[in-house]
């Protein structure tokens, strides 16, 4: 065959002949050059939708062609029928149907993949013609294939018919039929079930039906029940599916069919049918036990899926059938057996995880009954849920050290996720079982740790602790009378294993709030935490636990502070922990120091920070390179994280409810804030570092982060630094503009712009960064969407906090407005969002800031045009709410001008979209101008209009919107 590259590479002629299609297919499948393959594919896609496809597709199906070519012919047919149905003249429906029937008959003994595509094509034709043009379509399909003849044997014809009946509902689910047609066709298909059901039953019950036929019948049933075929009408077939389960060849498809049938939303209406299903499911227990004994994971999995699907979808219905309470309880116990199936997940079994959501569902249903009824159910099911807790904690146990060591990292990760799912389930179950659950766990742990005769495995201890931790992590256990006992037991645990040590740490962390109310118990657990800090394997658990304790118990920690700081310093110097844990540790120390007297804070800060300052001085002298860059960012990060939480003014009112007075308060402390003292000491050093790294955005970001975190934490206590920092920021931004400098400026504007003393440096900084950014806009801002985004947020903040900034003659308000209009056209959604926020903050000030009023009056039309352009298709649909906010604000603050601007802006034909008529534009304008109060309504109007502009109105995309 000659090289067909010319064909695919030059589609200008678009000569879609049989010969050329074959050449392009050869190129697609066999040409080693990937570019040629891509060209061929592109050309073939054009061929498939071309008018010539009607000619070449039948020729490609010729028996002498290879299956790949035949497959393309069948696919082209399906594409034409499903997507271009309106092109087919009505008088050709019949001949098209006849041709497809005869092709399917030919291929029933041929290539399976071609047969399936032809069946899908005929299915698509049926969906487009039923019920009017082709009434009784399914009945006709059955009749045609049951007739003898055509030299095709009965089994092949039967399989072809089943394939056709299977793909018909599947094609319906994925078809692009309009909504009203979908309803009609669904109804027509529902009526056709009467032709399908007896055929499937007959084939499944015949003893001489081959396995392949039975498997196809089960697949066909699966497909049809997804159309919400009434369960009462498929009851007999579902019963037959249970009969197919003992056959290993049919097991998987039978499970799928049963699961699909009983999980249909409509099936709960058929109570009697559901009640008949329960004993059928219970009868599978023998097969399930055998599968467990033989280690047959697939069979366990399948049977469990059936039991769980019935229980999960119909627990309400089955609970309400009080006369049958014992059979439902038996089903619940069967699911319990599946939850506790022997072996370790995910290595020896994968079934137990399927059952967890069932327990949530059952609990929700029981707890939703009114109290009298609920009490009766709880009598039966509370013991079941206590048993469930035992089963779950058994399943959460780690395997032996030797076995665990043999697991792959993927298996270990799956097991970790499985334990998190168990933890969530236990937390949920606590809602039903309450304090008794904690007592139950405590008794078990106590017996385990105090029984000297019976040696305990660490796995058992760890699982019980894990249960405690799961509950204490999210539920307030302060009232529980077993926690003091638990804290007393913890030091008795023989911690000889990393997993156990981790869980001990996380359990202590989960009890941090309780420790804040019972500080006398801190001395029992703090030594364990500090000891664990030195172990790199316990890095995450020990550091996060110390951080929780320092946050919750800071006012009770001064007696331990020296020790905590010393141990922390030691592990930081030894570099035991990874970067993120070092940052957490600094946050922990920030909480801890916050509660100390100022002189103690300064002393501790001095010893803690000095080594890093010395290191930073050394690094600042070196020539910049990648390794010292990382070291600098690390040290700056440590300082940032320390200053994030070091707050001497903050009251510990996080646990206080509503407006109740805070539980503890720190005494007011005189003198400058310790953070400010440190920042003033290191300011010159930071400037030196900056001077060398000014063009490295990560270092600049790390420097800005120190001040941003400090400003956020200290608020007005940061005042002594305002002048210095404003000057440094101005110099930084003037030299090399970076978004992080604008973000820090925004914080400063937020906190200090309204204060008379600090207004001058803030005003100077604001004007400087505005003027520098305006020059970026003149040079072309497209390469700096982050700067534009931060600039717009800064302008919005200034308008919100101090609109007087826009009265200054040094500020080019008109240029800022124009930058906003330009920024609305950026492709980056976050930038456009920030710009919309800027305009919604600006427009209300038309009444009280004359320079803003002037610019809006002169150039407001440009803003309206930019907004309409975005709505018309220039911007992502996710931004329509923001554009609606701008229009709403314009309407509220410049009503008479907006009426004129809308009229003028919408005047040009084809704007904002060529799909929009003049009437639709007028209607949109009128609707917008009418709504000056209801913002939600304006958002709906804009969404409706953008769909019209994009040609998506009334499509499936619109439905998702």
């Amino acid at each position: 065959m000659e090289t067909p590259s010319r064909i695919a590479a030059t589609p200008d002629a678009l000569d879609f002949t049989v010969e050329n299609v074959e050449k392009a297919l050869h190129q697609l499948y066999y040409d080693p050059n990937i570019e040629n393959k891509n060209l061929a594919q592109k050309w073939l896609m054009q061929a498939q939708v071309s008018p010539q496809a009607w000619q070449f597709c039948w020729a490609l199906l010729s028996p002498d062609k290879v299956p790949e070519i035949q497959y393309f012919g069948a696919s082209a047919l399906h594409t034409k029928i499903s997507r271009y149905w309106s092109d087919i003249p009505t008088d050709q429906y019949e001949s098209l149907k006849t041709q497809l029937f005869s092709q399917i008959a030919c291929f029933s003994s041929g290539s399976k993949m071609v047969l399936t595509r032809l069946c899908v094509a005929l299915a698509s034709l049926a969906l487009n013609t039923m019920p009017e043009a082709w009434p009784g379509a399914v009945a006709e399909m059955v009749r045609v294939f049951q007739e003898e003849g055509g030299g095709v044997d009965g089994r092949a014809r039967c399989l072809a018919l089943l394939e056709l009946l299977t793909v018909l509902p599947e094609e319906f689910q994925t078809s692009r039929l309009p909504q009203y047609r979908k309803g009609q066709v669904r109804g027509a298909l529902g009526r056709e079930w009467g032709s399908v059901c007896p055929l499937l039953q007959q084939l499944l019950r015949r003893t001489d039906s081959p396995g392949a036929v039975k498997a196809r019948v089960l697949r066909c049933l699966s497909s049809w029940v997804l159309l919400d075929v009434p369960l009462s009408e498929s009851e007999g077939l579902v019963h037959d599916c249970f009969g197919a389960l003992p056959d290993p060849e049919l097991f998987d498809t039978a499970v799928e069919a049963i699961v699909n049938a009983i999980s249909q939303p409509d099936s709960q209406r058929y109570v009697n049918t559901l009640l008949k299903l329960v004993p059928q499911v219970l009868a599978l227990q023998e097969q399930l036990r055998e599968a467990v004994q033989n280690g047959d994971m697939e069979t366990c999995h399948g049977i469990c899926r059936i039991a769980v699907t019935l229980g999960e979808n119909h627990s309400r219905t089955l609970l309400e059938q009080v006369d049958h309470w014992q059979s439902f309880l038996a089903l619940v116990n069967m699911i319990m057996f599946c939850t506790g199936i022997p072996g370790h997940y995910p290595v020896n079994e994968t079934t137990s995880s399927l059952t967890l959501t069932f327990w949530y569902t059952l609990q929700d249903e029981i707890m939703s009954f009114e109290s009298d009824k609920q009490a009766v159910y709880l009598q039966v099911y509370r013991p079941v849920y206590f048993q469930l807790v035992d089963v779950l904690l058994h399943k959460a146990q780690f395997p032996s050290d030797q076995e665990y060591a043999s697991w792959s990292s993927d298996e270990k990760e799956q097991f970790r996720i499985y334990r998190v799912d168990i933890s969530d389930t236990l937390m949920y179950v606590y809602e039903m079982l309450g304090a008794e659950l904690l007592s139950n766990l405590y008794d078990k742990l106590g017996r385990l740790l105090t029984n000297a005769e019976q040696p305990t495995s660490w796995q058992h201890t760890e699982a019980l602790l894990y249960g405690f931790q799961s509950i204490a992590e999210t539920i307030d256990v302060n009232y529980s009378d077993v926690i003091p006992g638990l804290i007393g037991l913890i030091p008795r645990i023989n911690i000889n294993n990393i997993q156990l040590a981790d869980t001990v740490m996380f359990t202590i962390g989960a009890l941090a709030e309780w420790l804040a109310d019972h500080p006398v118990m801190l001395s029992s657990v703090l030594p364990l935490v500090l000891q664990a800090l030195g172990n790199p394997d316990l890095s995450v658990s020990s550091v996060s636990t110390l951080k929780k304790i320092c946050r919750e118990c800071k006012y009770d920690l001064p007696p331990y502070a020296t020790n905590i700081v010393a141990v922390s310093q030691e592990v930081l110097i030894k570099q035991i922990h990874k970067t993120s844990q070092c940052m957490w540790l600094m946050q922990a120390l920030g909480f801890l120091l916050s509660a100390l007297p100022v002189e103690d804070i300064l002393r501790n800060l001095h010893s803690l920070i000095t080594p890093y300052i010395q290191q930073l001085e050394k690094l600042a002298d070196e020539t910049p390179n990648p390794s010292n860059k990382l070291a600098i960012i690390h040290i700056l990060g440590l300082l940032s994280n320390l200053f994030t939480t070091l707050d001497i003014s903050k009251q510990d009112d996080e646990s206080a409810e509503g407006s109740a007075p805070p539980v503890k308060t720190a005494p007011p402390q005189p003198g400058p804030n310790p953070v400010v003292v440190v920042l003033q000491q290191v300011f010159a050093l930071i400037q030196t570092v900056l001077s060398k790294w000014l063009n490295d955005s990560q270092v600049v970001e790390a420097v800005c982060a120190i001040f941003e975190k400090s400003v956020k934490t200290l608020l007005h206590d940061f005042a002594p630094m305002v002048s210095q920092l404003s000057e440094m920021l101005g110099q930084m931004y003037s030299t090399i503009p970076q978004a992080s400098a604008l973000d820090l400026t925004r914080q400063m504007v937020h906190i200090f712009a309204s204060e008379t003393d600090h207004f001058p440096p803030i005003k100077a900084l604001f004007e400087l960064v505005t003027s520098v950014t305006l020059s970026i806009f003149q040079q072309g801002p497209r390469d700096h969407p982050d700067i534009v985004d931060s600039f717009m947020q800064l302008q919005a903040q200034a308008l919100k906090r101090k609109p007087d900034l826009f009265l200054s003659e040094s500020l080019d308000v008109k240029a800022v407005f124009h930058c906003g209009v330009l920024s609305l056209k950026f492709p980056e959604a976050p930038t456009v969002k920030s710009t919309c926020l800027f305009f919604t903050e600006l427009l209300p000030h038309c009444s009280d800031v004359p320079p803003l009023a002037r610019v809006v009056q002169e150039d407001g039309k440009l803003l309206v045009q930019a907004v309409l352009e975005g709505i018309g298709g220039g911007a992502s649909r996710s931004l329509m709410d923001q554009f609606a906010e701008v229009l709403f604000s314009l309407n509220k603050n410049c009503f008479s001008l907006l009426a004129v601007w809308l009229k003028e802006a919408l005047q040009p034909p084809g704007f904002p979209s060529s799909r929009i008529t003049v009437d639709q534009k007028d209607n949109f304008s009128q609707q917008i101008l009418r709504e000056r109060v209801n913002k939600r309504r304006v958002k709906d109007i804009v969404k409706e209009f953008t769909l019209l502009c994009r040609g998506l109105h009334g499509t499936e995309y619109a439905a998702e919107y």
Side-chain angles (χ1 to χ4, degrees):
M1 196 176 205
E2 64 174 87
T3 308
S5 53
R6 186 190 57 78
I7 295 297
T10 56
D12 44 291
L14 295 182
D15 195 2
F16 299 126
T17 61
V18 175
E19 187 189 3
N20 284 346
V21 170
E22 287 192 41
K23 284 180 179 178
L25 283 165
H26 188 274
Q27 183 167 313
L28 178 68
Y29 288 118
Y30 305 112
D31 193 318
N33 182 323
I34 194 75
E35 273 185 40
N36 288 346
K37 278 181 186 295
N38 290 341
L39 281 168
Q41 182 158 17
K42 207 170 170 186
W43 188 87
L44 286 163
M45 283 167 78
Q46 289 176 296
Q48 216 169 16
V49 298
S50 69
Q52 296 95 308
W54 284 119
Q55 277 73 53
F56 69 64
C57 59
W58 300 109
L60 295 176
L61 287 166
S62 165
D64 58 339
K65 306 289 184 198
V66 293
E68 289 85 351
I69 287 173
Q70 293 170 331
Y71 179 82
F72 183 77
S75 287
L77 259 176
H78 172 243
T79 302
K80 296 301 284 183
I81 293 170
S82 61
R83 294 198 198 167
Y84 300 95
W85 178 252
S86 55
D87 297 350
I88 305 171
T90 323
D91 59 2
Q92 288 185 20
Y93 291 174
E94 203 54 41
S95 65
L96 183 56
K97 183 169 72 176
T98 311
Q99 277 178 291
L100 279 167
F101 269 130
S102 93
Q103 287 291 349
I104 290 171
C106 294
F107 278 93
S108 59
S109 308
S111 163
K112 169 79 174 68
M113 64 176 185
V114 181
L115 172 67
T116 301
R117 281 329 278 162
L118 288 167
C119 288
V120 172
L122 182 56
S124 187
L125 182 139
L127 296 175
N128 278 299
T129 50
M130 64 199 305
E132 298 88 357
W134 191 4
V138 175
E140 185 177 337
M141 290 173 187
V142 173
R143 194 180 64 253
V144 167
F145 281 94
Q146 281 181 330
E147 286 167 3
E148 296 291 328
V152 181
D153 73 87
R155 181 166 168 267
R157 271 205 325 280
C158 178
L159 285 170
L161 171 61
L162 288 170
E163 183 65 21
L164 178 56
L165 294 177
T166 303
V167 299
L168 184 61
E170 290 170 359
E171 179 68 5
F172 172 75
Q173 305 289 2
T174 58
S175 68
R176 301 176 175 210
L177 295 170
Q179 212 48 49
Y180 79 95
R181 277 284 296 151
K182 271 213 152 167
Q184 285 178 345
V185 175
R186 181 185 282 277
L189 284 169
R191 292 189 292 277
E192 298 276 11
W193 175 241
S195 305
V196 179
C197 185
L199 171 76
L200 299 184
Q201 243 170 338
Q202 180 195 354
L203 290 170
L204 208 48
R205 289 175 182 177
R206 274 173 60 169
T207 46
D208 61 341
S209 280
V213 168
K214 287 187 174 180
R216 198 66 62 80
V217 167
L218 294 168
R219 258 195 58 215
C220 188
L221 171 61
S222 259
S223 181
W224 276 82
V225 292
L226 294 174
L227 290 172
D228 290 338
V229 168
L231 188 60
S232 54
E233 291 180 21
S234 59
E235 185 185 318
L237 263 171
V238 174
H239 178 78
D240 295 339
C241 291
F242 278 94
L245 287 171
D247 183 339
E249 301 278 308
L250 301 177
F251 181 80
D252 289 342
T253 36
V255 168
E256 210 55 51
I258 295 167
V259 164
N260 285 344
I262 55 184
S263 55
Q264 281 314 299
D266 193 44
S267 55
Q268 58 203 26
R269 288 172 37 206
Y270 304 99
V271 180
N272 289 334
T273 305
L274 291 171
L275 287 171
K276 288 181 205 165
L277 284 171
V278 177
Q280 288 184 283
V281 175
L282 293 174
L284 300 173
Q285 287 178 98
E286 192 49 49
Q287 192 180 354
L288 176 62
R289 286 200 177 84
E290 273 177 32
V292 169
Q293 278 168 355
N294 301 331
D296 177 356
M297 281 162 71
E298 279 72 23
T299 301
C300 294
H301 203 81
I303 293 174
C304 173
R305 270 186 73 200
I306 293 171
V308 167
T309 304
L310 183 59
E312 211 172 290
N313 287 282
H314 304 293
S315 48
R316 178 88 187 188
T317 309
L318 295 170
L319 278 167
E320 284 174 337
Q321 310 310 306
V322 283
D323 296 346
H324 300 269
W325 71 272
Q326 282 162 311
S327 67
F328 183 58
L329 182 59
L331 178 68
V332 171
N333 284 324
M334 179 179 176
I335 295 172
M336 179 78 78
F337 174 80
C338 294
T339 304
I341 210 155
H344 286 289
Y345 182 95
V347 178
N348 319 108
E349 62 91 5
T350 53
T351 298
S352 56
S353 62
L354 297 177
T355 64
L356 298 179
T357 48
F358 163 74
W359 299 108
Y360 284 77
T361 308
L362 178 60
Q363 180 177 323
D364 283 347
E365 298 299 1
I366 291 169
M367 301 309 274
S368 70
F369 287 116
E370 60 274 15
S371 53
D372 297 352
K373 217 169 178 186
Q374 191 186 107
V376 178
Y377 285 113
L378 285 174
Q379 235 177 335
V380 176
Y381 286 100
R382 264 177 77 86
V384 172
Y385 272 82
F386 274 113
Q387 185 194 345
L388 173 67
V389 172
D390 291 345
V391 167
L392 289 175
L393 291 176
H394 181 73
K395 292 296 293 181
Q397 283 187 29
F398 279 88
S400 69
D401 295 341
Q402 191 182 355
E403 192 182 336
Y404 190 65
S406 72
W407 284 13
S408 69
S409 57
D410 188 41
E411 286 166 339
K412 287 177 180 173
E413 176 59 9
Q414 282 185 54
F415 181 59
R416 185 192 68 76
I417 293 166
Y418 174 66
R419 278 174 45 105
V420 171
D421 292 342
I422 285 178
S423 170
D424 292 344
T425 311
L426 288 169
M427 187 184 78
Y428 205 74
V429 166
Y430 179 84
E431 299 287 328
M432 182 194 268
L433 301 181
E436 199 183 331
L437 172 54
L438 289 176
S439 309
N440 187 300
L441 292 174
Y442 173 65
D443 292 344
K444 288 193 170 81
L445 190 63
R447 283 200 298 276
L448 207 61
L449 295 174
T450 52
N451 186 346
E453 293 150 36
Q454 223 180 346
T456 60
S457 71
W458 70 263
Q459 285 91 339
H460 202 166
T461 309
E462 189 278 334
L464 283 168
L465 269 182
Y466 185 67
F468 259 113
Q469 176 213 321
S470 302
I471 293 159
E473 224 164 24
T474 44
I475 285 164
D476 179 10
V477 292
N478 280 10
Y479 64 86
S480 171
D481 52 2
V482 303
I483 305 295
L486 172 65
I487 298 267
L489 284 175
I490 284 177
R492 301 185 62 149
I493 296 170
N494 174 23
I495 302 178
N496 53 3
N497 169 281
I498 289 298
Q499 279 90 11
L500 176 57
D502 248 343
T503 302
V504 169
M505 279 305 112
F506 283 126
T507 305
I508 295 170
L511 296 171
E513 280 185 45
W514 185 89
L515 287 165
D517 289 338
H518 306 81
V520 68
M521 303 300 276
L522 277 166
S523 56
S524 311
V525 293
L526 203 51
L528 287 172
V529 179
L530 294 178
Q531 189 189 345
L533 271 184
N535 185 340
D537 291 330
L538 300 177
S539 181
V540 173
S541 59
S542 62
V543 175
S544 69
T545 296
L546 181 65
K547 182 180 160 185
K548 282 180 181 172
I549 290 175
C550 289
R551 185 180 64 212
E552 302 298 337
C553 314
K554 60 184 168 194
Y555 297 114
D556 302 302
L557 291 177
Y560 309 97
T562 312
N563 196 8
I564 295 173
V565 172
V567 173
S568 300
Q569 270 190 280
E570 189 187 341
V571 300
L572 283 166
I573 288 163
K574 286 183 179 172
Q575 297 183 334
I576 282 173
H577 301 289
K578 290 183 178 164
T579 301
S580 53
Q581 276 70 55
C582 293
M583 302 304 160
W584 291 357
L585 191 49
M586 279 302 207
Q587 287 180 22
L589 294 171
F591 286 124
L592 173 73
L593 297 181
S594 301
L596 301 181
V598 167
E599 60 273 19
D600 290 358
I601 297 178
L602 287 167
R603 195 184 66 252
N604 278 298
L605 277 177
H606 182 74
S607 69
L608 191 60
I609 289 175
T610 303
Y612 293 112
I613 300 305
Q614 289 167 348
Q615 205 183 334
L616 195 58
E617 285 170 338
K618 192 166 148 290
L619 290 163
D621 286 341
E622 294 176 7
T623 312
N625 68 55
S627 69
N628 61 22
K629 170 182 163 175
L630 286 178
I632 288 171
I633 289 174
H634 181 74
I635 293 170
L636 295 173
L638 291 174
L639 295 176
S640 284
N641 280 279
L642 179 62
F643 298 156
T644 301
T645 53
L646 207 172
D647 182 7
I648 59 172
S649 67
K650 210 167 189 182
Q651 296 181 324
D652 184 20
D653 57 356
E654 284 165 34
S655 56
E657 289 290 323
S659 57
V663 186
K664 301 171 183 167
T665 59
Q669 309 211 6
N673 190 295
V675 172
V676 172
V677 173
V678 174
L679 283 175
Q680 285 175 327
Q681 287 169 358
V682 300
F683 199 82
L685 173 58
I686 286 176
Q687 281 185 302
T688 311
V689 170
L690 260 183
S691 64
K692 286 202 173 175
W693 291 90
L694 202 49
N695 59 356
D696 188 298
S697 63
Q698 287 169 300
V699 175
V700 172
E701 224 165 276
V703 168
C704 290
I706 290 184
F707 293 106
E708 197 173 346
K709 299 275 170 61
S710 306
V711 172
K712 273 184 179 168
T713 309
L714 302 183
L715 301 174
H716 298 285
D717 282 358
F718 189 83
M721 301 284 306
V722 169
S723 188
Q724 272 171 294
L725 183 56
S726 298
E727 194 179 337
M728 185 182 92
L729 268 175
Q731 288 167 352
M732 271 167 59
Y733 194 74
S734 307
T735 316
I736 295 183
Q738 310 254 14
S740 49
L742 288 173
D743 295 336
L744 179 50
T745 304
R746 187 176 85 243
Q747 282 296 331
M748 302 266 284
V749 167
H750 177 61
I751 293 162
F752 296 107
S754 304
E755 297 193 5
T756 318
D757 296 351
H758 302 300
F759 185 66
I762 293 288
K763 176 175 182 279
L765 173 61
F766 179 71
E767 288 174 3
L768 177 63
V769 299
T770 298
S771 125
V772 171
T773 312
L774 291 178
S775 63
I776 293 177
F777 267 91
Q778 284 169 344
Q779 292 151 23
R782 272 303 304 118
D783 298 337
H784 309 283
D786 55 335
I787 289 180
V788 175
D789 187 353
S790 295
F791 179 65
M792 285 298 145
Q793 287 185 50
L794 166 62
Q795 297 296 321
Q797 185 67 265
L799 285 160
K800 195 173 189 172
R801 301 296 291 185
K802 194 70 175 168
D804 292 5
L805 285 164
F806 291 83
L807 293 169
S808 165
E809 289 180 8
S810 317
L811 195 78
D812 190 342
V813 176
K814 196 177 179 75
V816 172
F817 186 90
H818 278 254
C819 290
V821 172
L822 199 61
S823 307
L824 281 178
K825 300 176 186 182
F826 270 48
E828 291 81 7
T831 305
V832 180
K833 271 187 184 170
S834 301
T835 309
C836 289
L837 176 67
F838 161 65
F839 281 116
T840 50
E841 290 291 349
L842 181 146
L843 292 163
H845 289 295
C846 286
S847 55
D848 57 3
V849 182
L852 293 175
R854 271 197 305 280
V855 73
V856 170
Q857 206 157 1
E858 290 166 15
D859 295 328
K861 183 181 165 186
L862 295 174
L863 171 60
V864 172
Q865 283 172 324
V867 168
L868 290 172
E869 199 176 310
I871 295 170
S876 157
R877 274 163 50 210
S878 66
L879 293 163
M880 291 308 116
D881 279 359
Q882 281 74 20
F883 283 126
E885 300 244 3
V886 177
L887 281 177
F888 183 72
S889 190
L890 279 162
N891 203 21
K892 215 170 171 188
N893 298 290
C894 332
F895 173 71
S896 52
L897 288 166
L898 179 63
V900 176
W901 292 333
L902 275 174
K903 191 175 180 186
E904 290 176 4
L906 290 169
Q907 197 78 47
F911 182 84
S913 160
S914 55
R915 296 185 177 92
I916 289 288
T917 65
V918 175
D919 288 349
Q920 286 170 325
K921 290 198 232 187
D922 290 346
N923 185 35
F924 171 68
S925 292
Q926 285 161 17
Q927 284 183 308
I928 289 290
L929 293 167
R930 263 202 302 272
E931 292 298 340
R932 299 176 69 182
V933 181
N934 188 341
K935 194 189 288 184
R936 181 72 262 153
R937 177 76 189 111
V938 174
K939 289 180 178 179
D940 291 341
I941 294 164
V942 168
K943 280 183 180 172
E944 184 88 358
F945 190 64
T946 196
L947 290 170
L948 286 168
C949 288
R950 294 163 200 258
L952 296 174
H953 199 268
T955 65
E956 58 200 278
Y957 296 106
E960 293 159 18
Y961 192 22

